[in-house]
Amino acid sequence: MPILAALVVFFAVLFPRHAVPAQPDAAPSRLRVVGLEAHPELAANVMKLAPPSSLACDAPEVRWRAYLREARAAATSALRALGHFNATIEADLEHTEDCKRPVLRIEPGPPTLIDVLEVEIEGEFARDPMIRRYLDELPLAKGSRLHQGLYEEIRDTLLNRARSAGYLDAHYRRRELWVDPATNTARIGLHLDSGPRYYFGTIRVEQDILDEDFVARLLPVTQGDPYYGEALAEIYRNLSASGYFAEVRIDPLTEQRQAQTVPVDVALTPNKRTAYGLRVGFATDTGPRLGADATRRWVNRRGHQWKGNVEFSPRLQHIESNYTIPGRSPLTDSLDLYTRLDREDANDIISDSARLGAQYARLRNGWTQALFGEYRYERTEYGRQPRRGDGFVLAGVKLGHRRFDDPLFPTRGHSLDFTLQGASEALLSATDFVQIVTRGVGAHSVGRFIFKGRMDLGLTWMDEFARLPKSLRFFAGGDNSVRGYGFEKIGPRDERGQVVGGRYLFTVSAEVMHPIHANNWYGALFVDSGDAFDGRSDLNLKTGVGVGVRWRSPLGLVRLDVAYPLDMDSPSPRLHVGIGASF
């Protein structure tokens, strides 16, 4: 210990600056810039390029002077980058009571103006509409103040866009920026030679689970198509979105290009052939929910897929199987063959149904378009009435458009779903009917407020309404309809007071949310109104208002609402709870 103490004293005497920590009054002093108050862009660039001042107040004078020389040189470069080549810069130290502070006093001088701006493109790329628009909107123009950053942006953008568009040999014949400080003028000359355009050569795909011709249909380009950088990104997106592959690697062999073609190698790692999922949740309408599904990502080498799922709750149960045959464009067109069994036991109504059908769907310009046909047999029992079973051959069309910023907790976007369907007694159906069902949902944020709206509309035209099964009738009330009222408790009633559903449906909802804690807890105010009815004269809107809480939990969205019905003889608040996504 005496030896250690002696060493500490020895080093403290020999190197006192290292042995004694800096006092609070020796903290680093920041650089101050004076004279650019009327030129915030210049001041910001000077501060951006100036070296940080890390000297303590008691640093030797020689180190302060060295720092001032560095700061003055950086300020000169910063001002010239924005077109000021005749600036006057004085560097000095301000002495205060207990410290020193570096100061730059700057007179920026007159700006340099562009006297000549010549941008020329030689070759086929000059006729590209994209680059013509860019040239028409250049960020610099003759007579404008010189900005070297914008000059470099133009220079690099022209070359990068040419190469991204498939002109891989593009190069500059002339690339110059000339400044005359004596006259404060600048000349810019850019002459780009795009060279010939390249095309896709052989596209070699390495995989062993699907037929080659099917994989080729997943690609957005074929051999001989114009080569461009975005096409490589599209290849990646298409193959990743298909679900067949866990990893996609794309290697454009630009170094092996010849005869104006570029070969491309694509290496694909198969996904797991079968995937399983389990879902749990709770909702006031259904009670606790349990769901499971299995997906066969590819059934055969032609890319066919299969998915089965089951869902159980005290009120609703269903089992479904769906076999998908990809179309000519596998990512947008498909033929689905499906079967589904449903059972519902709620509000003294028991319904069992079976469906067997086919649907051809395609995606065009963001819209999902579908034609479908199915046979549906359903047996329904209303209260103590005898159970009745009827069969229908349904046919119809569907349209859908969906665009949200977040599918689980949207703050902006919209969705629209429209279905037109019908059946005919002449085509093995119990009766004739035509039906339209549509739902629109929108979300928009203003500041920290999120506004949401929803509307449901249903119309049915038929003569023998008594033969329409429960699944094709309209009901209102519940978590996703008119809150404050029970699940499917709003609608026409029979002589016993049993809600039996109506021909028509109209519901609307408006809601506003605002965060109440961090970014995961939101408070909500809402109003819902609607009715299910048999005729225009029967429309009697039921309205509910309330408050709620939303929690974006790690397991999914948790929703808690307390709604008060305004159109009941003996109204009382009703609790609506939702945990997890709807199945």
Side-chain angles (χ1 to χ4, degrees):
M1 291 299 293
I3 296 177
L4 179 60
L7 288 174
V8 171
V9 172
F10 173 76
F11 280 105
V13 172
L14 187 59
F15 306 107
R17 187 161 54 87
H18 296 284
V20 181
Q23 300 302 314
D25 62 355
S29 183
R30 289 174 58 90
L31 174 69
R32 189 163 77 96
V33 176
V34 179
L36 297 180
E37 292 78 10
H39 307 278
E41 185 182 12
L42 297 180
N45 207 41
V46 168
M47 294 303 297
K48 179 181 178 181
L49 296 185
S53 173
S54 58
L55 297 176
C57 293
D58 58 356
E61 187 81 7
V62 63
R63 298 185 65 189
W64 279 112
R65 294 300 172 186
Y67 171 77
L68 287 174
R69 287 194 297 271
E70 293 180 17
R72 188 178 187 281
T76 299
S77 298
L79 294 170
R80 289 181 174 180
L82 297 181
H84 290 264
F85 284 80
N86 288 304
T88 300
I89 305 175
E90 295 181 1
D92 201 0
L93 284 176
E94 285 185 343
H95 294 267
T96 61
E97 293 181 0
D98 54 358
C99 196
K100 305 169 185 176
R101 185 171 188 178
V103 179
L104 294 180
R105 293 182 173 84
I106 301 175
E107 169 55 48
T112 298
L113 302 180
I114 298 174
D115 184 48
V116 176
L117 177 62
E118 295 178 346
V119 179
E120 182 182 357
I121 298 177
E122 177 184 343
E124 183 184 348
F125 184 55
R127 296 187 291 274
D128 188 300
M130 174 196 67
I131 205 62
R132 296 311 310 173
R133 287 193 297 271
Y134 179 74
L135 292 176
D136 291 339
E137 302 170 358
L138 287 178
L140 289 178
K142 182 179 179 180
S144 65
R145 178 170 60 88
L146 175 65
H147 190 304
Q148 293 191 54
L150 294 179
Y151 159 74
E152 293 171 359
E153 176 188 314
I154 294 171
R155 179 196 65 195
D156 296 342
T157 297
L158 290 175
L159 186 61
N160 292 338
R161 290 195 178 187
R163 291 177 176 172
S164 295
Y167 300 90
L168 302 181
D169 297 332
H171 64 282
Y172 277 107
R173 292 185 180 274
R174 182 166 63 101
R175 183 182 62 180
E176 61 185 20
L177 168 61
W178 183 88
V179 177
D180 183 0
T183 60
N184 290 308
T185 59
R187 293 202 299 266
I188 293 176
L190 294 172
H191 181 181
L192 178 71
D193 183 354
S194 67
R197 184 167 198 174
Y198 280 77
Y199 297 83
F200 279 98
T202 304
I203 303 176
R204 295 184 290 265
V205 181
E206 180 184 339
Q207 60 84 37
D208 58 5
I209 63 172
L210 300 171
D211 289 340
E212 291 182 6
D213 61 339
F214 178 77
V215 175
R217 284 155 48 196
L218 292 170
L219 303 179
V221 295
T222 60
Q223 183 175 348
D225 287 346
Y227 180 90
Y228 57 99
E230 179 59 25
L232 300 175
E234 289 182 22
I235 292 174
Y236 178 86
R237 288 194 294 267
N238 283 14
L239 293 173
S240 298
S242 70
Y244 299 112
F245 310 107
E247 185 178 355
V248 178
R249 297 189 303 275
I250 301 173
D251 185 14
L253 306 177
T254 55
E255 295 182 356
Q256 300 179 23
R257 63 184 185 271
Q258 57 182 350
Q260 294 180 229
T261 62
V262 180
V264 177
D265 283 352
V266 180
L268 304 174
T269 302
N271 218 330
K272 290 184 178 179
R273 189 167 189 177
T274 305
Y276 302 94
L278 181 66
R279 307 179 304 280
V280 294
F282 177 88
T284 310
D285 289 350
T286 61
R289 305 187 304 252
L290 177 65
D293 58 65
T295 302
R296 193 73 163 172
R297 292 191 171 101
W298 70 93
V299 176
N300 51 39
R301 294 185 63 86
R302 297 187 299 278
H304 294 191
Q305 298 174 319
W306 173 83
K307 182 175 183 178
N309 71 79
V310 295
E311 299 171 6
F312 295 100
S313 72
R315 291 181 173 179
L316 305 170
Q317 306 92 41
H318 94 252
I319 301 175
E320 184 176 12
S321 174
N322 190 88
Y323 189 89
T324 300
I325 303 173
R328 182 62 191 170
S329 299
L331 295 178
T332 60
D333 300 356
S334 66
L335 175 64
D336 296 304
L337 308 175
Y338 60 89
T339 181
R340 175 168 173 158
L341 301 176
D342 290 273
R343 179 177 176 82
E344 179 178 345
D345 185 353
N347 301 327
D348 260 354
I349 302 176
I350 300 175
S351 174
D352 297 294
S353 67
R355 308 181 197 178
L356 178 65
Q359 173 176 282
Y360 174 74
R362 65 178 192 173
L363 180 64
R364 295 293 185 273
N365 299 320
W367 286 86
T368 300
Q369 308 165 9
L371 297 173
F372 71 93
E374 70 175 39
Y375 178 76
R376 180 183 304 191
Y377 183 81
E378 184 165 342
R379 298 179 64 192
T380 307
E381 179 181 341
Y382 295 95
R384 298 180 179 179
Q385 294 183 8
R387 180 171 295 195
R388 179 167 186 165
D390 285 308
F392 295 84
V393 176
L394 294 173
V397 298
K398 296 179 181 179
L399 292 175
H401 190 275
R402 188 174 302 269
R403 182 175 295 172
F404 285 115
D405 57 351
D406 184 336
L408 298 180
F409 193 82
T411 62
R412 286 180 178 271
H414 64 271
S415 69
L416 176 65
D417 295 288
F418 172 88
T419 301
L420 170 63
Q421 61 186 359
S424 173
E425 191 173 355
L427 297 175
L428 304 179
S429 296
T431 187
D432 302 331
F433 79 92
V434 175
Q435 188 175 78
I436 293 176
V437 183
T438 183
R439 163 173 276 215
V441 179
H444 185 72
S445 60
V446 178
R448 302 189 71 190
F449 288 93
I450 301 173
F451 296 88
K452 291 186 175 182
R454 166 177 47 83
M455 184 180 75
D456 292 277
L457 180 66
L459 306 168
T460 307
W461 294 273
M462 66 182 307
D463 293 328
E464 297 182 77
F465 182 75
R467 304 199 67 174
L468 194 68
K470 194 265 179 181
S471 64
L472 295 174
R473 299 185 182 193
F474 296 118
F475 299 80
D479 300 343
N480 297 302
S481 181
V482 182
R483 286 164 285 188
Y485 299 81
F487 175 61
E488 297 187 346
K489 287 291 190 178
I490 300 175
R493 299 174 181 267
D494 61 15
E495 61 278 4
R496 300 179 180 85
Q498 171 73 50
V499 179
V500 295
R503 299 169 181 259
Y504 307 109
L505 173 70
F506 175 74
T507 65
V508 292
S509 174
E511 181 171 302
V512 59
M513 299 190 302
H514 190 276
I516 56 176
H517 178 69
N519 290 321
N520 294 324
W521 289 87
Y522 286 76
L525 297 173
F526 61 85
V527 55
D528 301 336
S529 187
D531 191 19
F533 52 101
D534 279 332
R536 183 180 303 176
S537 60
D538 301 323
L539 176 61
N540 183 17
L541 295 178
K542 307 296 190 297
T543 302
V545 297
V547 298
V549 175
R550 311 284 181 266
W551 176 35
R552 301 174 66 177
S553 77
L555 299 179
L557 181 65
V558 176
R559 188 177 76 174
L560 177 66
D561 291 326
V562 177
Y564 187 84
L566 302 182
D567 301 284
M568 274 189 177
D569 294 335
S570 301
S572 61
R574 185 177 183 86
L575 181 67
H576 296 270
V577 179
I579 302 176
S582 298
F583 293 167

